[in-house]
mmCIF file of all heavy atoms in Angstrom:
data_model
loop_
_atom_site.group_PDB
_atom_site.id
_atom_site.type_symbol
_atom_site.label_atom_id
_atom_site.label_comp_id
_atom_site.label_asym_id
_atom_site.label_seq_id
_atom_site.Cartn_x
_atom_site.Cartn_y
_atom_site.Cartn_z
ATOM 1 N N LYS A 175 -4.735 10.194 11.308
ATOM 2 C CA LYS A 175 -4.972 10.501 9.928
ATOM 3 C C LYS A 175 -4.390 9.364 9.045
ATOM 4 O O LYS A 175 -3.341 8.889 9.312
ATOM 5 C CB LYS A 175 -4.390 11.852 9.546
ATOM 6 C CG LYS A 175 -5.114 13.001 10.139
ATOM 7 C CD LYS A 175 -4.635 14.314 9.554
ATOM 8 C CE LYS A 175 -5.469 15.479 10.154
ATOM 9 N NZ LYS A 175 -5.068 16.812 9.473
ATOM 10 N N LEU A 176 -5.194 9.110 8.002
ATOM 11 C CA LEU A 176 -4.671 8.105 6.996
ATOM 12 C C LEU A 176 -4.527 8.894 5.708
ATOM 13 O O LEU A 176 -5.481 9.372 5.119
ATOM 14 C CB LEU A 176 -5.712 7.024 6.818
ATOM 15 C CG LEU A 176 -5.428 5.982 5.680
ATOM 16 C CD1 LEU A 176 -4.174 5.182 6.098
ATOM 17 C CD2 LEU A 176 -6.640 4.990 5.560
ATOM 18 N N ARG A 177 -3.296 9.041 5.296
ATOM 19 C CA ARG A 177 -2.939 9.671 3.993
ATOM 20 C C ARG A 177 -2.294 8.563 3.151
ATOM 21 O O ARG A 177 -1.078 8.490 3.050
ATOM 22 C CB ARG A 177 -1.957 10.816 4.222
ATOM 23 C CG ARG A 177 -2.477 11.973 5.136
ATOM 24 C CD ARG A 177 -1.430 13.020 5.261
ATOM 25 N NE ARG A 177 -1.845 14.057 6.206
ATOM 26 C CZ ARG A 177 -2.557 15.128 5.856
ATOM 27 N NH1 ARG A 177 -2.852 15.298 4.602
ATOM 28 N NH2 ARG A 177 -2.868 16.058 6.751
ATOM 29 N N PRO A 178 -3.163 7.723 2.545
ATOM 30 C CA PRO A 178 -2.619 6.464 1.972
ATOM 31 C C PRO A 178 -1.597 6.675 0.935
ATOM 32 O O PRO A 178 -1.776 7.502 0.039
ATOM 33 C CB PRO A 178 -3.888 5.832 1.403
ATOM 34 C CG PRO A 178 -5.035 6.417 2.179
ATOM 35 C CD PRO A 178 -4.563 7.852 2.486
ATOM 36 N N THR A 179 -0.497 5.979 1.070
ATOM 37 C CA THR A 179 0.524 5.805 0.011
ATOM 38 C C THR A 179 0.278 4.457 -0.586
ATOM 39 O O THR A 179 0.556 3.405 0.035
ATOM 40 C CB THR A 179 1.943 5.904 0.644
ATOM 41 O OG1 THR A 179 2.090 7.160 1.279
ATOM 42 C CG2 THR A 179 2.946 5.745 -0.459
ATOM 43 N N ILE A 180 -0.241 4.464 -1.826
ATOM 44 C CA ILE A 180 -0.663 3.229 -2.461
ATOM 45 C C ILE A 180 0.086 3.033 -3.785
ATOM 46 O O ILE A 180 -0.017 3.913 -4.672
ATOM 47 C CB ILE A 180 -2.155 3.208 -2.725
ATOM 48 C CG1 ILE A 180 -2.919 3.522 -1.420
ATOM 49 C CG2 ILE A 180 -2.622 1.858 -3.284
ATOM 50 C CD1 ILE A 180 -4.393 3.706 -1.546
ATOM 51 N N ARG A 181 0.763 1.977 -3.950
ATOM 52 C CA ARG A 181 1.413 1.652 -5.172
ATOM 53 C C ARG A 181 0.523 0.749 -6.022
ATOM 54 O O ARG A 181 -0.197 -0.114 -5.428
ATOM 55 C CB ARG A 181 2.772 0.926 -4.992
ATOM 56 C CG ARG A 181 3.812 1.798 -4.334
ATOM 57 C CD ARG A 181 5.177 1.017 -4.331
ATOM 58 N NE ARG A 181 5.060 -0.212 -3.634
ATOM 59 C CZ ARG A 181 5.195 -1.402 -4.160
ATOM 60 N NH1 ARG A 181 5.417 -1.552 -5.464
ATOM 61 N NH2 ARG A 181 5.102 -2.511 -3.422
ATOM 62 N N ILE A 182 0.516 0.963 -7.313
ATOM 63 C CA ILE A 182 -0.286 0.083 -8.202
ATOM 64 C C ILE A 182 0.717 -0.665 -9.024
ATOM 65 O O ILE A 182 1.493 -0.162 -9.755
ATOM 66 C CB ILE A 182 -1.197 0.920 -9.115
ATOM 67 C CG1 ILE A 182 -2.127 1.822 -8.285
ATOM 68 C CG2 ILE A 182 -2.027 0.013 -9.970
ATOM 69 C CD1 ILE A 182 -2.982 2.747 -9.131
ATOM 70 N N VAL A 183 0.615 -2.039 -8.950
ATOM 71 C CA VAL A 183 1.541 -2.887 -9.617
ATOM 72 C C VAL A 183 0.792 -3.911 -10.487
ATOM 73 O O VAL A 183 -0.265 -4.394 -10.107
ATOM 74 C CB VAL A 183 2.406 -3.720 -8.609
ATOM 75 C CG1 VAL A 183 3.354 -4.601 -9.290
ATOM 76 C CG2 VAL A 183 3.164 -2.726 -7.675
ATOM 77 N N ASP A 184 1.252 -4.108 -11.697
ATOM 78 C CA ASP A 184 0.699 -5.099 -12.563
ATOM 79 C C ASP A 184 0.961 -6.496 -11.942
ATOM 80 O O ASP A 184 2.134 -6.896 -11.832
ATOM 81 C CB ASP A 184 1.407 -5.032 -13.977
ATOM 82 C CG ASP A 184 0.800 -6.041 -14.997
ATOM 83 O OD1 ASP A 184 0.170 -7.030 -14.586
ATOM 84 O OD2 ASP A 184 1.026 -5.810 -16.224
ATOM 85 N N THR A 185 -0.065 -7.166 -11.556
ATOM 86 C CA THR A 185 0.065 -8.398 -10.787
ATOM 87 C C THR A 185 0.796 -9.427 -11.539
ATOM 88 O O THR A 185 1.646 -10.198 -11.034
ATOM 89 C CB THR A 185 -1.347 -8.936 -10.410
ATOM 90 O OG1 THR A 185 -2.024 -7.979 -9.655
ATOM 91 C CG2 THR A 185 -1.227 -10.234 -9.546
#
Side-chain angles (χ1 to χ4, degrees):
K175 290 188 176 182
L176 177 64
R177 301 178 184 273
T179 300
I180 307 172
R181 293 187 302 114
I182 304 177
V183 180
D184 183 340
T185 303

